[in-house]
Amino acid sequence: MPDHAPQTVTAFTLNGAPVAVAAHPFTPLSDTLREGLGLTGTKVGCEAGDCGACTVLIDGAQACACLIPTAQAEGTAITTIEGEEGAIPRLRAAFLAHGAAQCGICTPGMILAAADLLARDDTPDRGAVEDAIGGVLCRCTGYRKIVDAILSAAHGDVAQPHEAPVGEAVGARINRLDGWPKVAGTDRFGADVVPSGALWLRTVRSPHPRATFTLGDLESARHRLGLVAILTAADVPGENGFGIMPGLKDWPVLAPGHVRFRGEAVLALVGDRAAVMAVRDADLPITWTPLLALDSPRAALAAGAPILHSHAPDNVLTRGHLESGDVESAFAHSAATTEGQFETAFVEHAYIEPEAGHAEIVAGRAEVTACTQAPAMDREEVARVLGIPLDDVRIIPTACGGGFGGKLDVSVQPLLAAAAKVTGRAVRTVYSRTESMASTTKRHPARIRARMAADADGRFTAYALEGDFDTGAYASWGPTVANRVPVHASGPYRVPNVRNTTRAVYTNNTPAGAFRGFGVPQAAIATECLVDDLAEQLAMDRWGIRRLNALGHGDATPSGQVLHASAGLPECLDALRPGWDAMLAEAARRNAGKPRHRVGAGIACMWYGCGNTSMSNPSTMRVTLSADGTLTLFNGAVDIGQGSATVIAQVAADALGLPVAAVRQVLGDTDRTPDAGKTSASRQTFVSGRAAMEAGLALRRRILALANAGPDARLSLQGTTLRVEDGDASRSISLSGLPVAPDGTVLEGVGTYDPPTSPLDANGQGIPYATYGFAAQLALVRVDTALGTVKVERIEAAQDVGRAVNPTLVEGQIHGGIAQGLGLALMEEFIPGRTENLHDYLIPTAGDVPDITIHLIEDPEPEGPYGAKGVGEPALIPTAPAILGAIRHATGARITRIPVLPHRLWEAMQR
């Protein structure tokens, strides 16, 4: 925000009413709308016009408010998402009906871009809609439901909200329960909640990937720069380190004299926003001594000494291992063998909401309000960093504008809490896009060497993998990736002889962490390529060899676990067979005559264990009835867009036997909700959903016992009267007449669920997960053989979801996973020290995502709530290998490095 120019008054019409606001002339309009006028429905994701989250209408035309100086708004008519003009109301209804809002951070921009289109063209086609919203990025939805919603609003055929009958909420396509604030722009994200008088915090970060530094007279600098405080590592009250693994809290809140990656936090500047943002790094007394940086696992391993972390011999953070059978003998006696070396890059989460939040000390306790995927884990980390008891910390999650694993590492919360404790004031921060990209975790880059073998009939006989995963400067989720990959690497196939070894290796790169799939997408790229190799060697159909070997009921996995239920990969493949035959025929027809643009079809399968690997993974839910008749679900599972707030309520309502519409929710607040665990690893529907089912059943049993009614009795809630109808008998319970707890509760049910797993032995044998998601996908691509460019034309996906609690939300997760998988395959590559914005780092737009056909396979999981299991992670994993297989079919190029940028594909085709 400029501080050198005097404020002037700018007058314009805002949502139909005249306003005048005092602001610096060059202050971005987005900042004036949000900070000056309190209209936080205008979101800010990049401050560079790259993401479109701040889209507003200026004289009816869409524009990025972050690029418009406030003075330029003089005399204009501006419409924000808070307005009611034109098509905005019917677009809101359409977005709700189609499930087009997931996390909701891009939704205001999408609706306004669509309103611009519909004001100009009331009968657009799909291409016109994609063009109109092309400047607004979405990382969650895959755009298909957004486009459908806009077309529906244009045609005036918006469906009415679906009302699920009592007891039939599971399986119903009800609207998101948290959907209205997202489409109205009233949802509050991390940057939207601003306590009165809050100070601003900006983090000073290392310009070097590895260096030591010394600090000069910071107190003089503080006075000279007009700041309230400059925090260093010495100001961290408790332990100066955070991380997700016990014994590996190695990532400092503020670096203590030694930095290990470019972007590492060194100082925290606290004060008035204008004063803090005016400080240049050169104004601070820091003296740097750069050191030799290790920029790859190969370099770190070759260093031969623990020069990054003293606790990691040879810079290896951790190793993973799984072995079954006699691998070398199986390779020696197999009819067909293949091998390859594969390489994947860093991938940025690119959630549209950068990290943001605030902290304050309330009645002696630290309260942190921020975007997060894991409030209970945040609470533990903040307590340890502040050196205070756990009960003295409260985490209040805001709406979370996308996460995908990136908002599991708690870089914001401890620093905010420390600043609030040191200053005694409320302190807020909002990362810039550059800061977010430079300092937060990425998908682990991998170098994988893999071999695979089959007998003459095409049955797989052996698989071996060695993989090095670049965990960056700090541990983060490196151990999780290293332990999950060996379990999954041989794919969802029967393979009797397996040996998989992995290493997570420290480097001086940006830390790598959790990202949708935890290493399985990287391994699947290698495995599915080898499966295609074997099919080619044995002259077998690529669908056929997968169907022959697909894991199913009664089969044992490489860890020795027998799949007794919910193993629907054979059914997924069967559902795709007609589409596969059609794609092959289309490719053959369009490739006749050897045109420049060649078409190819690819297929890939996946499996993914829901939850933690061989670790306790519990969730607890609480459902209460109050004396005033309020039914409340205390739900600690954070909804980051995937729909858990809706799905878990559907499960709890059916278990209890009351309508979903009666359920009020308290979400995430650690003072008010039990620990539901992290929103990660596709666990919330499965684990927290089961806990909610148990809580609902427990409350139902309590009610039935109170009424002396049988198990089939019907419940209804009318004000403060609970009616219980049991056959011809009917009883009424006056809730206001029951004993009342201090919080107003008269009846409650609590449910806890921890999936049954067992530890893995030294060879990786045991039960790592209670259930697995399975999926298969087809891809049809068109390759320009002269330019090396790829256009994905169609994806067909079949996914075993156990039970689709809400099919609309399940489809949205699959669409979003496919879009991220497409980006992984073709365009996304984060380069530490170079990639800093969403202009250089490309993610798919509405025009990149193809037509998608989905087959939901429901092979019920007995452990899950009403048969359900997780769907979020599995949707991404098969997309990239299916696309790579299609490119190979079109061009003959066997791709072993992603992303497949045009120059790489062109070179591969020449080879």
Side-chain angles (χ1 to χ4, degrees):
M1 181 175 67
D3 65 341
H4 56 276
Q7 287 194 348
T8 60
V9 175
T10 302
F12 50 90
T13 300
L14 179 62
N15 295 326
V19 299
V21 61
H24 298 295
F26 294 102
T27 296
L29 178 61
S30 54
D31 194 81
T32 298
L33 291 171
R34 291 175 52 82
E35 302 286 336
L37 295 169
L39 297 183
T40 56
T42 300
K43 307 304 179 186
V44 176
C46 67
E47 300 175 288
D50 293 325
C51 75
C54 65
T55 296
V56 298
L57 302 183
I58 301 180
D59 292 332
Q62 61 172 299
C64 288
C66 72
L67 297 181
I68 308 296
T70 297
Q72 194 170 315
E74 177 72 33
T76 65
I78 296 174
T79 302
T80 70
I81 190 62
E82 291 88 353
E84 299 290 335
E85 302 169 38
I88 291 174
R90 71 177 189 269
L91 282 164
R92 288 184 183 133
F95 271 57
L96 281 176
H98 285 269
Q102 288 190 20
C103 82
I105 193 71
C106 75
T107 303
M110 287 289 183
I111 288 177
L112 289 164
D116 173 19
L117 169 67
L118 298 188
R120 295 180 285 103
D121 181 357
D122 57 5
T123 58
D125 60 16
R126 183 170 288 272
V129 172
E130 291 175 352
D131 288 345
I133 64 172
V136 185
L137 296 178
C138 175
R139 194 57 159 164
C140 298
T141 67
Y143 302 101
R144 307 311 298 171
K145 290 188 180 293
I146 292 174
V147 175
D148 291 343
I150 296 168
L151 290 172
S152 174
H155 300 149
D157 57 358
V158 177
Q160 293 300 308
H162 180 70
E163 298 291 340
V166 174
E168 298 179 24
V170 172
R173 292 179 178 269
I174 68 170
N175 288 356
R176 291 185 68 112
L177 300 182
D178 58 351
W180 177 254
K182 299 180 187 301
V183 301
T186 58
D187 220 358
R188 292 290 179 260
F189 295 85
D192 299 338
V193 186
V194 184
S196 177
L199 299 172
W200 189 268
L201 181 149
R202 179 171 76 83
T203 307
V204 177
R205 300 186 178 277
S206 169
H208 305 288
R210 184 164 175 250
T212 59
F213 64 92
T214 57
L215 300 172
D217 187 349
L218 291 178
E219 184 62 15
S220 294
R222 182 183 71 80
H223 281 288
R224 173 170 46 85
L225 298 169
L227 303 178
V228 173
I230 300 178
L231 305 185
T232 72
D235 296 304
V236 176
E239 296 181 35
N240 184 24
F242 61 91
I244 59 97
M245 302 297 291
L248 284 176
K249 311 290 186 180
D250 62 356
W251 193 339
V253 178
L254 291 169
H258 183 181
V259 294
R260 292 184 168 93
F261 74 98
R262 184 181 182 273
E264 183 164 355
V266 176
L267 300 174
L269 312 182
V270 184
D272 174 76
R273 184 186 181 194
V276 166
M277 299 307 290
V279 176
R280 302 172 304 159
D281 288 3
D283 297 332
L284 298 165
I286 307 176
T287 302
W288 293 99
T289 303
L291 303 172
L292 175 66
L294 302 178
D295 62 358
S296 71
R298 179 181 296 172
L301 292 166
I307 61 173
L308 292 179
H309 290 269
S310 60
H311 63 262
D314 300 324
N315 299 316
V316 176
L317 163 65
T318 190
R319 291 173 167 82
H321 181 72
L322 182 147
E323 187 164 2
S324 62
D326 187 339
V327 173
E328 294 308 323
S329 177
F331 272 111
H333 295 91
S334 294
T337 62
T338 183
E339 62 184 293
Q341 181 164 300
F342 303 86
E343 185 175 350
T344 69
F346 276 109
V347 180
E348 160 68 16
H349 292 90
Y351 28 72
I352 305 304
E353 178 204 25
E355 294 73 8
H358 74 269
E360 52 191 328
I361 306 301
V362 179
R365 302 173 72 226
E367 292 192 358
V368 183
T369 302
C371 53
T372 179
Q373 294 182 232
M377 186 177 74
D378 293 355
R379 186 180 180 219
E380 295 170 0
E381 295 290 87
V382 168
R384 195 170 42 76
V385 167
L386 294 188
I388 60 178
L390 191 64
D391 287 344
D392 286 346
V393 178
R394 180 185 187 185
I395 304 295
I396 306 172
T398 63
C400 188
F404 320 110
K407 289 174 181 171
L408 285 170
D409 281 295
V410 290
S411 61
V412 168
Q413 293 87 334
L415 187 53
L416 281 171
K421 187 173 179 65
V422 169
T423 64
R425 301 268 301 275
V427 180
R428 66 184 291 224
T429 194
V430 179
Y431 280 11
S432 69
R433 176 58 57 181
T434 296
E435 183 176 17
S436 178
M437 295 185 78
S439 66
T440 63
T441 58
K442 317 295 173 211
R443 187 185 297 283
H444 287 74
R447 291 181 62 86
I448 291 171
R449 297 158 294 284
R451 299 182 290 155
M452 198 169 190
D455 65 19
D457 295 324
R459 290 181 173 82
F460 299 149
T461 56
Y463 183 91
L465 173 143
E466 297 177 2
D468 288 333
F469 291 80
D470 183 348
T471 205
Y474 296 107
S476 184
W477 293 81
T480 302
V481 169
N483 291 322
R484 185 177 285 265
V485 169
V487 173
H488 291 84
S490 57
Y493 307 114
R494 292 185 298 275
V495 187
N497 305 286
V498 174
R499 184 176 63 239
N500 297 327
T501 60
T502 56
R503 295 182 292 196
V505 182
Y506 281 121
T507 67
N508 290 117
N509 287 322
T510 311
F515 195 159
R516 207 172 195 168
F518 284 106
V520 179
Q522 297 94 306
I525 286 166
T527 302
E528 294 298 311
C529 178
L530 299 183
V531 171
D532 284 352
D533 289 347
L534 293 174
E536 183 176 308
Q537 287 185 37
L538 296 167
M540 294 182 67
D541 174 73
R542 287 173 284 157
W543 177 93
I545 198 170
R546 288 172 169 84
R547 181 62 177 84
L548 176 67
N549 291 283
L551 284 170
H553 289 234
D555 287 331
T557 72
S559 73
Q561 180 179 359
V562 177
L563 302 176
H564 296 292
S566 199
L569 182 59
E571 291 78 8
C572 289
L573 286 165
D574 291 345
L576 294 180
R577 181 59 193 263
W580 176 244
D581 291 341
M583 282 189 183
L584 291 178
E586 181 176 348
R589 175 181 58 80
R590 292 171 63 182
N591 289 337
K594 298 184 178 179
R596 166 177 163 176
H597 292 88
R598 294 188 58 80
V599 175
I603 181 172
C605 298
M606 65 71 56
W607 65 323
Y608 186 83
C610 297
N612 296 345
T613 308
S614 292
M615 295 172 62
S616 180
N617 191 20
S619 177
T620 299
M621 292 279 161
R622 179 174 178 244
V623 184
T624 68
L625 269 170
S626 298
D628 63 1
T630 301
L631 174 65
T632 306
L633 170 61
F634 291 88
N635 176 0
V638 175
D639 191 330
I640 62 172
Q642 82 279 24
S644 63
T646 301
V647 167
I648 291 172
Q650 288 177 262
V651 169
D654 273 9
L656 177 56
L658 287 173
V660 177
V663 179
R664 168 182 171 269
Q665 291 194 73
V666 173
L667 297 170
D669 185 333
T670 58
D671 268 12
R672 304 185 65 195
T673 63
D675 184 0
K678 300 176 286 294
T679 295
S680 67
S682 292
R683 62 173 295 279
Q684 290 295 21
T685 294
F686 176 53
V687 182
S688 293
R690 172 65 183 272
M693 185 181 82
E694 298 296 340
L697 292 173
L699 178 55
R700 179 178 176 82
R701 286 192 297 268
R702 183 87 184 276
I703 293 168
L704 297 181
L706 196 63
N708 195 27
D712 297 326
R714 298 188 304 275
L715 308 183
S716 61
L717 189 59
Q718 300 165 5
T720 61
T721 300
L722 181 64
R723 291 184 57 82
V724 184
E725 298 180 23
D726 188 12
D728 295 332
S730 179
R731 301 171 180 84
S732 295
I733 300 172
S734 174
L735 297 175
S736 59
L738 297 177
V740 184
D743 65 354
T745 297
V746 294
L747 295 169
E748 75 170 7
V750 176
T752 296
Y753 178 68
D754 194 355
T757 62
S758 69
L760 301 182
D761 67 17
N763 285 323
Q765 299 301 294
I767 301 175
Y769 311 100
T771 191
Y772 298 81
F774 291 88
Q777 290 181 14
L778 311 176
L780 186 75
V781 308
R782 182 179 75 251
V783 179
D784 184 328
T785 56
L787 299 179
T789 57
V790 178
K791 173 66 177 177
V792 182
E793 294 188 342
R794 195 157 70 248
I795 295 283
E796 189 167 344
Q799 187 160 325
D800 169 22
V801 301
R803 175 82 182 277
V805 177
N806 189 317
T808 299
L809 302 186
V810 171
E811 290 162 356
Q813 284 296 287
I814 294 173
H815 287 163
I818 287 170
Q820 288 193 350
L822 185 153
L824 172 67
L826 298 180
M827 61 184 70
E828 297 190 41
E829 184 171 25
F830 174 87
I831 302 173
R834 289 176 53 188
T835 312
E836 296 185 334
N837 54 60
L838 292 175
H839 181 77
D840 297 325
Y841 186 85
L842 301 180
I843 68 172
T845 68
D848 294 311
V849 178
D851 290 336
I852 299 172
T853 301
I854 294 174
H855 306 271
L856 296 182
I857 306 301
E858 296 185 302
D859 188 1
E861 170 49 60
E863 288 287 328
Y866 300 105
K869 57 187 178 183
V871 302
E873 251 97 351
L876 172 140
I877 296 168
T879 307
I883 291 170
L884 301 185
I887 294 171
R888 179 177 180 176
H889 182 225
T891 66
R894 181 178 185 262
I895 305 299
T896 59
R897 181 183 178 186
I898 63 164
V900 191
L901 302 177
H903 71 281
R904 290 176 185 159
L905 178 54
W906 191 89
E907 292 169 355
M909 288 189 293
Q910 307 317 301
R911 291 194 296 270

